[in-house]
């Protein structure tokens, strides 16, 4: 799979390089900004939009907002752990032990595509953006923390791609 490169006779992990790169710092900023944006939306405009929804859609809004909040807290926890590794506050091994407390897993939307399509656009955008970030973080997590000799397991079809296909079908 080419997860390491030899530099001066020593193996260098591409995953560790990526995790310490500007790309990671950008992902970190994106994730933290998304947490702030979601919190501001759900505490402000989102509350108003939720009150205006019919009962069934309001229940779907509540389910999606809870799942969004849970997903973003998991992603933020992972990002903070990895930043601590990058800054030398934790070793990769210590982070691996700590991250067992972070339940990083693929989550899809809580609603059927037709119901999801009726939810406020800002909520839908936040959910879709968080699913994309989730897929990127889980991929990096697999590269960093799985046994280097083990093959990387990936879903046959990306959960994000599945969700996007369901959304496309709902809007078609």
């Amino acid at each position: 799979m080419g997860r390491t490169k030899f530099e001066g006779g020593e193996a260098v992990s591409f995953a560790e390089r990526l995790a310490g790169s500007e790309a990671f710092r950008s992902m970190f900023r994106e994730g933290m900004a998304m947490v702030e944006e979601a919190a501001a939306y759900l505490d402000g405009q989102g509350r108003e939009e939720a009150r205006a929804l019919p009962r069934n859609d309001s229940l779907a809004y509540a389910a999606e907002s809870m799942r969004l909040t849970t997903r973003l807290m998991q992603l933020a926890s992972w990002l903070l752990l990895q930043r601590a590794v990058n800054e030398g506050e934790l070793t990769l091994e210590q982070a691996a032990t700590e991250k067992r407390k972070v339940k990083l897993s693929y989550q899809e939307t809580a609603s059927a595509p037709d119901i999801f399509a009726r939810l406020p656009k800002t909520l839908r955008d936040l959910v879709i953006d968080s699913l994309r970030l989730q897929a990127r973080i889980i991929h990096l997590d697999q590269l960093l923390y799985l046994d280097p000799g083990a093959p990387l397991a990936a879903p046959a079809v990306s959960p994000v791609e599945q969700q996007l296909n369901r959304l496309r079908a709902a809007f078609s």
Side-chain angles (χ1 to χ4, degrees):
M1 248 241 155
R3 282 189 249 164
T4 57
K5 170 184 163 185
F6 289 98
E7 232 176 57
E10 292 191 33
V12 176
S13 167
F14 285 126
E16 288 179 39
R17 276 241 171 125
L18 176 62
S21 71
E22 180 54 39
F24 173 80
R25 288 185 289 280
S26 176
M27 186 184 339
F28 181 87
R29 288 188 300 270
E30 176 187 350
M32 293 302 130
M34 196 179 302
V35 169
E36 289 178 22
E37 180 184 358
Y41 170 75
L42 294 172
D43 285 341
Q45 175 189 353
R47 283 184 199 254
E48 298 303 315
E49 291 175 346
R51 286 186 189 120
L53 293 171
R55 179 165 165 58
N56 285 342
D57 292 355
S58 180
L59 292 172
Y61 179 97
E64 290 298 344
S65 64
M66 285 190 304
R67 190 166 285 186
L68 172 65
T69 301
T70 300
R71 182 182 310 114
L72 288 175
M73 289 303 101
Q74 291 170 350
L75 298 177
S77 295
W78 189 93
L79 287 166
L80 288 166
L81 267 175
Q82 190 55 47
R83 184 180 72 172
V85 170
N86 294 351
E87 293 180 356
E89 297 169 12
L90 292 175
T91 66
L92 200 57
E93 293 75 26
Q94 290 169 323
T97 299
E98 285 298 313
K99 84 173 208 67
R100 288 189 187 109
K101 300 172 190 171
V102 177
K103 302 293 183 210
L104 194 59
S105 61
Y106 286 107
Q107 293 179 358
E108 293 190 28
T109 59
S111 309
D114 60 323
I115 296 171
F116 187 81
R118 293 193 305 258
L119 296 178
K121 181 180 181 340
T122 303
L123 178 66
R124 290 192 324 257
D125 289 346
L126 284 166
V127 167
I128 290 168
D129 290 346
S130 73
L131 289 169
R132 286 185 185 128
L133 181 62
Q134 172 186 261
R136 291 170 34 216
I137 288 175
I138 287 174
H139 180 73
L140 183 55
D141 180 74
Q142 288 176 339
L143 290 172
L144 285 169
Y145 294 101
L146 283 183
D147 175 10
L152 290 177
V157 176
S158 159
V160 174
E161 189 61 34
Q162 287 175 335
Q163 185 60 38
L164 291 173
N165 288 338
R166 288 175 30 200
L167 291 171
R168 285 183 195 108
F171 286 112
S172 298

